[in-house]
Amino acid sequence: MPPIDRTTAELPETGHFPNREELLRVKDGWGLHPALDPEAVAVRFDRHLAALPPQPAAAAGEGAGPDLVPAAAARDFIIQLTSSLTRTRVDHRKLSQTDKDAFNNALKAAHAAGTYQTLADIHGDMSHRMHSMSGPIGTQRFLPWHRRYTLQAENVLRSVQPANGAPTLTIPYWDYANDHDRPDWVWQPPNVTRGIPGANGGSLPTQTLIDNLLLRPRYTPFTSHLETDAHNDVHNWCNGTISDIMAAPHDPIFWLLHANVDRIWDRWQLNHTGKPSLSGKDAVLDPWTSTATDVASTIALGYSYA
């Protein structure tokens, strides 16, 4: 990964966020999870093909016609799909104690190395324009930027020592619409505070609210309401460091919260083709070189949700 380019930015007036089953493994040797049902796979495959540039019939292989899938496209999708099933994010309630210990040990190792703090500090730089408080571009960047950020955190945790690293670790998600207990089993670093949930406002969304979000056909209303109603309110409800927009990722519960936001977006993408309205420099998810298009698919990025 390229070095982090840090710049200063004007801070918001207030620190809080603005208001508005683990399944059986199908193959132990590969560690595959049946995270995707057949219909979902078909939809993802259609999305994969639709994103491809037009190809002459000859490129699809001998005998290929207009209704046949190019062999290379099919092969690439199967490789991506298989890879994503070996890197499956699951509901944190389904983790074993061993899994929880491995996750916390990775957090502690990254914190001891200082890489965790460096990663968490990125969120305090509002010049990245990753929230709606930065204006219309921030609204468009919210989901792709945090997808890239959460993947970066997962990569950091998978790369740390001791115990030969944690190459199979994934960030679990917190399904806060159905799980109303803050996941306090997650390691609490020094200087991170966790107050009484809900004591300073905020709320957890209902599943009905999430279902209604998933029915919204256009990207901008979907991401706008997801950010305010099923993200900001959750941060504020948690109370403590995670409710301070400048410092939130210093509490590792942040990653479980954002894995769920990303999961909701991934579910929405199965039924809708909308995407962020970004171009040029606005589409680059700084401080990384990835663009919004690069992170449009969890399958292409190599992970999935169970």
Side-chain angles (χ1 to χ4, degrees):
M1 294 295 172
I4 295 173
D5 181 16
R6 302 291 302 281
T7 59
T8 60
E10 183 179 356
L11 304 182
E13 293 182 0
T14 58
H16 70 277
F17 283 79
N19 290 320
R20 221 224 327 152
E21 299 159 332
E22 183 180 23
L23 302 177
L24 296 174
R25 296 178 182 271
V26 297
K27 193 171 184 180
D28 291 336
W30 283 56
L32 298 179
H33 289 260
L36 304 176
D37 61 57
E39 290 186 3
V41 170
V43 171
R44 292 178 190 276
F45 190 40
D46 288 342
R47 296 283 190 271
H48 177 77
L49 294 181
L52 294 174
Q55 295 182 341
E62 184 178 355
D67 294 329
L68 297 182
V69 175
R75 180 196 61 209
D76 290 347
F77 177 77
I78 294 302
I79 290 173
Q80 291 175 353
L81 179 64
T82 303
S83 176
S84 73
L85 292 175
T86 68
R87 187 170 178 167
T88 304
R89 296 176 181 174
V90 302
D91 188 322
H92 80 96
R93 293 172 294 180
K94 302 299 183 180
L95 296 178
S96 67
Q97 188 58 50
T98 298
D99 293 332
K100 291 179 178 179
D101 291 342
F103 185 71
N104 282 335
N105 287 338
L107 287 169
K108 293 174 184 177
H111 196 277
T115 52
Y116 186 89
Q117 297 89 317
T118 298
L119 180 72
D121 284 342
I122 293 173
H123 201 269
D125 186 347
M126 293 293 106
S127 72
H128 297 312
R129 299 178 298 164
M130 65 289 207
H131 289 284
S132 288
M133 64 172 59
S134 298
I137 295 299
T139 299
Q140 299 297 315
R141 287 168 63 88
F142 169 68
L143 287 174
W145 192 92
H146 283 87
R147 174 172 282 179
R148 181 64 182 82
Y149 191 34
T150 304
L151 182 61
Q152 181 71 10
E154 192 170 271
N155 287 338
V156 166
L157 296 180
R158 289 165 72 96
S159 67
V160 294
Q161 304 295 325
N164 299 318
T168 62
L169 178 149
T170 57
I171 293 174
Y173 62 86
W174 171 28
D175 180 11
Y176 38 70
N178 297 292
D179 174 12
H180 300 158
D181 294 322
R182 188 177 60 192
D184 284 342
W185 64 265
V186 177
W187 179 61
Q188 183 176 349
N191 301 320
V192 165
T193 62
R194 292 177 183 169
I196 298 173
N200 285 333
S203 62
L204 299 181
T206 63
Q207 186 58 49
T208 297
L209 186 149
I210 299 299
D211 291 341
N212 288 336
L213 281 175
L214 293 171
L215 292 175
R216 290 182 173 270
R218 294 186 296 123
Y219 176 82
T220 298
F222 165 73
T223 187
S224 178
H225 284 276
L226 174 56
E227 181 181 4
T228 56
D229 302 335
H231 162 265
N232 291 6
D233 279 347
V234 180
H235 272 280
N236 293 332
W237 178 87
C238 284
N239 195 6
T241 300
I242 198 172
S243 299
D244 182 343
I245 196 168
M246 307 302 295
H250 286 276
D251 186 339
I253 291 176
F254 176 96
W255 308 113
L256 281 70
L257 191 163
H258 271 279
N260 195 55
V261 171
D262 185 59
R263 181 181 70 96
I264 294 170
W265 182 26
D266 181 57
R267 288 181 59 195
W268 183 86
Q269 289 179 301
L270 283 176
N271 297 305
H272 306 286
T273 58
K275 57 185 179 181
S277 179
L278 295 166
S279 61
K281 185 178 180 180
D282 292 339
V284 179
L285 307 175
D286 51 278
W288 309 284
T289 58
S290 304
T291 67
T293 300
D294 293 334
V295 302
S297 166
T298 61
I299 301 302
L301 289 172
Y303 70 92
S304 58
Y305 288 97

